[in-house]
Amino acid sequence: MTKMPRSFPRDEFQGVFWATKRALAEAADVAYRAHGVRDGQQFLLRELWKEDGLAPGELARRLGLATPTVTRAAIRMEAAGLVTREPDLRDRRLVRIHLTERGRELEAVLDAETRALSDRALAGFDEDDRAALIRALDRIRGNLGS
């Protein structure tokens, strides 16, 4: 006879998910702050490593964020020496966000931190389990409409 999987109450799922999300955010914050990067800024940096000189609105669109959120992050990142904010040469109403040398140099370092953090979070998961977890999380995101 096949044993039925344990059924979890809906509120238990949300509690475990929230605690996991918080633990990941805290571990990421420690890893990235060691390099002068606040958690979340690594995603803006990743987009700028792909294409430097983006406007806040374009960064926001690519990351699914509000433009004011990106603008505030860019101001903090500029103060930290990671980026510069400069007027667009053709349209002075626009601002372009450019990596500084320090921002560029962090690419390999933060990629290594991200891999180490993922490996730590997924320790004990084989490749099939990792793939299943990623599919499940993506499905949850899709179910919630974003």
Coordinates of all heavy atoms in Angstrom, one line a residue, residues 10 38-39 41 45-46 48 53 61 67 79-80 87 97 99 101 110 114 122 127 130 140 145:
R10 N -2.7 25.2 5.0 CA -2.3 26.3 4.2 C -1.4 27.3 4.9 O -0.5 27.9 4.4 CB -3.5 27.0 3.6 CG -4.1 26.2 2.5 CD -5.2 27.0 1.8 NE -5.8 26.2 0.8 CZ -7.1 25.8 0.7 NH1 -7.9 26.3 1.6 NH2 -7.5 25.1 -0.3
R38 N 24.2 46.3 -0.5 CA 23.0 45.9 0.3 C 22.2 44.8 -0.5 O 22.2 44.8 -1.7 CB 22.2 47.1 0.5 CG 22.9 48.2 1.3 CD 22.1 49.4 1.4 NE 21.0 49.2 2.3 CZ 20.3 50.2 2.8 NH1 20.6 51.5 2.5 NH2 19.2 50.0 3.6
D39 N 21.6 44.0 0.3 CA 20.8 42.9 -0.4 C 19.8 43.6 -1.3 O 19.1 44.5 -0.9 CB 20.1 42.0 0.7 CG 19.4 40.9 0.0 OD1 19.9 40.3 -1.0 OD2 18.3 40.5 0.6
Q41 N 20.6 45.0 -4.2 CA 21.4 45.8 -5.1 C 22.1 44.9 -6.1 O 22.4 45.3 -7.2 CB 22.4 46.7 -4.4 CG 21.7 47.8 -3.6 CD 22.7 48.6 -2.8 OE1 23.9 48.3 -2.7 NE2 22.2 49.7 -2.2
L45 N 22.9 45.5 -10.1 CA 24.3 45.3 -10.6 C 24.3 44.3 -11.7 O 24.9 44.5 -12.8 CB 25.2 44.9 -9.5 CG 25.6 46.0 -8.5 CD1 26.4 45.4 -7.3 CD2 26.4 47.1 -9.2
R46 N 23.6 43.2 -11.5 CA 23.6 42.1 -12.6 C 23.0 42.7 -13.9 O 23.6 42.3 -15.0 CB 22.7 41.0 -12.1 CG 22.8 39.7 -12.9 CD 22.0 38.6 -12.4 NE 22.6 38.2 -11.1 CZ 21.9 37.6 -10.1 NH1 20.6 37.4 -10.2 NH2 22.5 37.3 -9.0
L48 N 23.1 45.8 -14.9 CA 24.1 46.7 -15.4 C 25.4 46.0 -15.9 O 26.0 46.5 -16.9 CB 24.5 47.8 -14.3 CG 23.4 48.7 -13.9 CD1 23.8 49.5 -12.7 CD2 23.0 49.6 -15.1
G53 N 24.6 51.6 -18.3 CA 24.0 52.9 -18.8 C 22.5 52.9 -18.9 O 21.9 53.7 -19.7
R61 N 11.7 48.0 -15.2 CA 10.9 47.1 -16.1 C 11.6 45.7 -16.1 O 10.9 44.7 -16.0 CB 10.8 47.7 -17.5 CG 9.9 46.9 -18.4 CD 10.0 47.3 -19.8 NE 11.3 47.1 -20.4 CZ 11.8 45.9 -20.8 NH1 11.2 44.8 -20.5 NH2 13.0 45.8 -21.3
T67 N 9.8 52.2 -10.6 CA 10.9 53.1 -10.9 C 11.4 53.9 -9.7 O 12.6 54.0 -9.5 CB 10.5 54.1 -12.0 OG1 10.1 53.3 -13.2 CG2 11.6 55.1 -12.4
A79 N 26.2 56.6 -3.6 CA 26.8 57.0 -2.3 C 27.9 55.9 -1.9 O 28.9 56.3 -1.3 CB 25.8 57.2 -1.2
A80 N 27.6 54.7 -2.3 CA 28.6 53.6 -1.9 C 29.7 53.4 -3.0 O 30.5 52.6 -2.8 CB 27.8 52.3 -1.8
P87 N 23.1 62.5 -16.5 CA 22.1 62.9 -17.4 C 22.3 62.2 -18.8 O 23.4 62.0 -19.2 CB 22.2 64.4 -17.6 CG 23.0 64.8 -16.4 CD 23.9 63.7 -16.0
I97 N 22.3 55.2 -15.5 CA 23.0 54.7 -14.4 C 24.2 53.9 -15.0 O 24.0 53.0 -15.8 CB 22.1 53.7 -13.5 CG1 21.0 54.6 -12.9 CG2 23.0 53.1 -12.3 CD1 19.9 53.7 -12.3
L99 N 28.0 51.9 -14.2 CA 28.9 51.2 -13.2 C 30.1 52.1 -13.0 O 30.7 52.6 -14.0 CB 29.3 49.8 -13.7 CG 28.1 48.8 -13.8 CD1 28.6 47.6 -14.6 CD2 27.8 48.4 -12.3
E101 N 34.2 51.7 -11.7 CA 35.2 50.7 -11.8 C 35.0 49.7 -10.6 O 35.0 48.5 -10.8 CB 36.6 51.2 -11.7 CG 37.7 50.2 -11.9 CD 37.6 49.6 -13.3 OE1 37.2 50.3 -14.3 OE2 38.0 48.4 -13.4
L110 N 30.7 38.9 -6.5 CA 29.3 38.6 -6.2 C 28.7 37.4 -6.8 O 27.9 36.7 -6.2 CB 28.4 39.9 -6.5 CG 28.7 41.1 -5.7 CD1 27.7 42.2 -6.0 CD2 28.8 40.8 -4.2
T114 N 27.0 34.5 -4.7 CA 25.7 34.0 -5.0 C 25.7 32.5 -5.2 O 24.8 31.8 -4.7 CB 25.2 34.7 -6.3 OG1 25.1 36.1 -6.1 CG2 23.8 34.1 -6.7
L122 N 20.9 25.0 -0.7 CA 20.4 23.7 -1.3 C 21.2 22.5 -1.0 O 21.1 21.5 -1.6 CB 20.4 23.9 -2.9 CG 19.4 25.0 -3.4 CD1 19.6 25.2 -4.9 CD2 18.0 24.6 -3.0
E127 N 20.4 17.0 -7.8 CA 20.1 17.8 -9.0 C 18.6 17.8 -9.3 O 18.0 18.8 -9.7 CB 20.9 17.4 -10.2 CG 22.4 17.8 -10.1 CD 22.6 19.3 -9.9 OE1 21.9 20.1 -10.6 OE2 23.4 19.7 -9.0
R130 N 16.7 19.8 -6.8 CA 16.9 21.3 -7.0 C 16.0 21.7 -8.2 O 15.4 22.8 -8.1 CB 18.4 21.5 -7.4 CG 19.3 21.4 -6.2 CD 20.8 21.7 -6.6 NE 21.6 21.5 -5.4 CZ 22.7 22.3 -5.2 NH1 23.1 23.2 -6.1 NH2 23.4 22.1 -4.1
I140 N 4.5 28.6 -8.2 CA 3.9 29.4 -7.1 C 3.9 30.9 -7.6 O 2.8 31.6 -7.5 CB 4.7 29.3 -5.8 CG1 4.4 27.9 -5.2 CG2 4.2 30.4 -4.8 CD1 5.4 27.6 -4.1
G145 N 0.5 35.4 -10.0 CA 0.3 36.4 -11.1 C 1.4 37.3 -11.3 O 1.2 38.4 -11.9

